[in-house]
Amino acid sequence: MKFTLSWLREHLDTSASVAEVVEAMTMAGLEVEHVDDPGARLAAFSVARIVEAVQHPNADRLRVCQVDTVDGRKEIVCGAPNARAGLTTIYAPIGACIPANGVVLEARPVRGVVSNGMLCSAAELQAAEESDGILELDGGLAVGTPAAQALGVEAVIDFEVTPNRPDWLGVDGIARDLAAAGLGRLKTPAITPVAGGFPCPVQIRLDDSGACPAFAGRLIRGVRNGPSPDWLQRKLLSIGLRPISALVDITNLITFDRARPLHVYDAARLSGGWIEARLGREGERVEALDGKTYAAGPETCVIGDASGAIGLGGVMGGASTGCAETTTDVFIESAWFDPIRIAQTGRTLGIASDAQYRFARGVDPESLLPGLELATRLILDICGGEASEAVLAGQAPARPAPFTFDRNYVQALSGLSLDRTRIDAILADLGFGLDGDAVAPPSWRRDVEGKADLVEEVARIAGYGALPATPLPAIAPLPGGVLTPRQTRMRIARRALAAAGYAEAVTWSFMKRATAERFGGGAPELVLSNPIAADLDCMRPSVLPNLIEAAGRNARRGYPDAALFEIGPIYRGDQPGDQATVIAAVVSPHPARRWDGRDVDALFALKGDLEALLGEIGAPALQTVQGDSSPWWSPGRSARLQLGPKTVIAEFGEIHPAVLKALDVDGPVLGFELYLDLLPEPKRREVKTRPAFQPSPLMPLTRDFAFLLSGSVQAGDLVRPILAADKALITGARIFDVYQGAGVPEGFRSVAVEVQVQPQDRTLTDADIEALSARIVAAAEKATGAKLRG
């Protein structure tokens, strides 16, 4: 909904500026979307007067003008054919930006003569779509008058109308709310009825569908249709409407001024001497005023006469009865249509006209005859003619019923402390009827149904900024439960894995029996007799298959880099009671291409995540054992974490390719499964705070070592003694190459290790590095028998 300040002042006696109006609207709940202020664009432009205009010495179509401006007398080169002495026009100084094209004026010579500014046309100032020359203004305007004032342009306020407030779709409704908010005094002009000079010759008919409960109209004969007056055209243009003709422009004006859509028919083009509002018929079509033809089915309200459907009721008129310059007799329609049917018609036919927008939200039923009378008065004043008596068929819906309202409910619901006088004044200003404790909503506020609605009205007008800041009463905390050590570990594990970048999944506690058998389960006692799905017929012996399949589904939908975890039960025995709780996780890394197709770093990163998790939940020191993992792990790329020689606490590694193929998941997939019930409860110990991180100011350095290592020793066992050789200086060690072949003795491998050294308090000398290297070699030889290659 758009309007201008001058239009608002026709209904509201106020001296408020545009900014003050916008602020008051916002505080009253009217959501302002945009303010288009042409005055801001034209701030640099002002009225000027041409004193002299002579032929340009070097151009036939240019004139050199001496112009009196706000900046004094200026010499300006102008190519407009109407540039002449004595003409009052608009001047743009050097540095001004032309609104139509964004050009910034500079003092440049034009055919050898410097132009010190520009004389503007209406099109260049965006005051008209096109123009033949520079503007010609009233000679009485003083030089220096701002261009916006001279052109009569003003700011346009655009705001969003909520579906429950159709009264805001008219300027009078906006003025009513602003007056109640204290911005001025409401002064909407009263509508004086026009006495009819003869009976209306057009009969109005209604069907019993309820699509149009009430229809008013009258005939005006002897009108002269043509362009509407300048004041009306300017008003419509200011809100973006294109003037069409006086008759159409009058109805558009009333639509936006009073939120009352109307329609005018060329009475000579009506058939049968009657007009009716009814539902459409099968196969009926209407050629509308927008040039399109629409199907008017049995759910659509149409306006018809003896020739058939001639318009879409409440949506758009038809081309067959539209007014033209030759129109002399017109029939004015002022009807009330069912909002739900009009809304559905607009959606079905894809039409969102100004009339449909208003009728779908609910036009004031009591504006039927006042809207008709206002249109009659404007047509008689602008187009002339003689009006018939007004005719009303049907009955508009009654006003909402009054209800009891206790004024104390305002403070109880909103916290605002207002006396009864102030509350009643707000409600009265908004049009509510007051009779003791009974409050009657006005006809245009059918959305008000109870006392809570009235509190909202009072609160928004009184100002939400006046709401008191009262703290809520303190509530005693509920006694908290005591978590068991296992529950505590589960809570800590969730946070630790989420912090490490894993997403928690909650999968079924069932799976396909064939999959369960592949993961060590599938006992007949664990097969469900009535499964919820054919592929969920067995209690799961492991969480890993469900997580692997979830990672596969993510990959097939374009998210291949999955990192998932779940904490839940598994069933490893042959009875439903053989239940255990596990923490399982899988990652599906997709690194850059490698020569061996594997990402060794991902496996060690997974192991690091598992060890960090064990540290967070207070697990004791565990032993890493390779070579005896479950069959769903890849040999040589998996291991166990054990507590003692027999108790397996966790398994981790890469899932076997055959398992992935059976689950229809592309690899690689890595994972771990931690048996939470097997971890002993942590011992109470003194909590030591980790010291603050203090980075060294010195650059780290790396040294590479190549060792001959027996084939019976795991390559990973070489890293631990190297890290322990000097814990103060060595911050990392990584195997980056393993070689067997020519130059390496039978039964041995060449293992290359990169060692990262971080000096702490001084730069290391060559002697320091040599001594550190000797300690590394000695530690590796002592722990694994490794020899430094010559």
Side-chain angles (χ1 to χ4, degrees), residues 591-626:
R593 291 181 296 177
R594 295 169 51 91
W595 65 273
D596 59 358
R598 290 178 172 178
D599 184 5
V600 178
D601 291 338
L603 183 55
F604 282 102
L606 177 79
K607 181 185 177 186
D609 291 341
L610 175 58
E611 291 175 340
L613 173 62
L614 290 167
E616 290 287 342
I617 63 177
L622 301 175
Q623 179 185 4
T624 303
V625 179
Q626 286 186 268

Side-chain angles (χ1 to χ4, degrees), residues 152-282:
V153 296
E154 56 181 325
V156 177
I157 301 172
D158 186 4
F159 73 100
E160 181 68 25
V161 178
T162 55
N164 67 315
R165 294 303 304 270
D167 56 308
W168 283 347
L169 290 168
V171 180
D172 64 331
I174 303 166
R176 184 186 304 110
D177 274 30
L178 291 178
L183 199 68
R185 181 181 60 84
L186 186 66
K187 62 168 189 177
T188 297
I191 299 174
T192 303
V194 176
F198 57 94
C200 180
V202 179
Q203 181 186 3
I204 300 175
R205 300 176 182 178
L206 301 177
D207 67 2
D208 57 357
S209 66
C212 179
F215 191 127
R218 77 190 323 165
L219 183 78
I220 302 179
R221 62 191 181 194
V223 301
R224 296 180 302 279
N225 193 21
S228 54
D230 289 343
W231 65 267
L232 178 51
Q233 293 194 34
R234 286 196 303 270
K235 187 169 288 189
L236 297 180
L237 286 170
S238 69
I239 60 172
L241 291 182
R242 180 176 60 87
I244 298 174
S245 67
L247 292 171
V248 176
D249 292 350
I250 288 170
T251 61
N252 285 336
L253 172 68
I254 298 174
T255 297
F256 282 84
D257 188 72
R258 304 295 176 101
R260 163 36 70 181
L262 303 162
H263 188 65
V264 289
Y265 300 85
D266 187 331
R269 302 171 75 177
L270 292 175
S271 300
W274 52 268
I275 192 169
E276 66 177 344
R278 58 172 174 80
L279 293 180
R281 302 181 181 122
E282 285 292 343

Side-chain angles (χ1 to χ4, degrees), residues 5 13 26 55 86 93 132 134 142 151 156 223 254 303 307 316 318 339 379 436 450 465 533 569 600 695 708 716 776:
L5 185 57
D13 187 3
T26 302
Q55 185 68 41
D132 296 330
I134 59 177
L151 296 174
V156 177
V223 301
I254 298 174
I303 306 299
S307 65
M316 188 175 292
I379 291 174
V600 178
L708 286 174
I776 292 172

Side-chain angles (χ1 to χ4, degrees), residues 359-560:
F359 280 122
R361 282 155 176 77
V363 172
D364 179 8
E366 295 186 6
S367 67
L368 271 167
L369 291 175
L372 180 64
E373 297 289 357
L374 179 58
T376 302
R377 173 55 59 194
L378 288 172
I379 291 174
L380 294 178
D381 291 345
I382 295 173
C383 303
E386 181 184 7
S388 75
E389 297 173 351
V391 179
L392 173 63
Q395 185 174 359
R399 286 193 176 197
F403 52 86
T404 302
F405 178 54
D406 182 359
R407 274 57 169 185
N408 294 326
Y409 196 59
V410 172
Q411 184 169 9
L413 191 61
S414 70
L416 286 171
S417 180
L418 302 174
D419 57 34
R420 184 185 180 104
T421 302
R422 174 62 174 146
I423 294 172
D424 287 357
I426 291 174
L427 294 177
D429 289 343
L430 291 174
F432 290 87
L434 305 174
D435 184 8
D437 288 339
V439 177
S443 58
W444 59 84
R445 291 302 308 273
R446 308 185 71 82
D447 61 304
V448 176
E449 299 176 345
K451 57 184 181 178
D453 297 325
L454 294 179
V455 173
E456 180 183 358
E457 293 301 303
V458 172
R460 71 181 182 86
I461 297 300
Y464 291 122
L467 293 174
T470 304
L472 294 174
I475 300 176
L478 296 175
V482 178
L483 298 179
T484 65
R486 186 169 67 91
Q487 291 171 329
T488 301
R489 280 176 163 167
M490 291 168 63
R491 176 178 290 185
I492 295 173
R494 281 190 174 90
R495 294 180 178 177
L497 288 171
Y502 291 79
E504 184 173 9
V506 180
T507 65
W508 295 106
S509 294
F510 324 113
M511 61 178 55
K512 187 186 299 184
R513 186 177 184 183
T515 303
E517 291 173 346
R518 188 177 294 276
F519 279 80
E525 294 79 5
L526 298 180
V527 176
L528 304 180
S529 59
N530 185 23
I532 60 175
D535 57 350
L536 296 173
D537 60 346
C538 186
M539 307 299 289
R540 65 183 181 187
S542 170
V543 180
L544 289 173
N546 290 347
L547 292 181
I548 293 169
E549 290 179 331
R553 286 192 294 271
N554 276 275
R556 287 191 290 273
R557 288 163 174 77
Y559 299 94

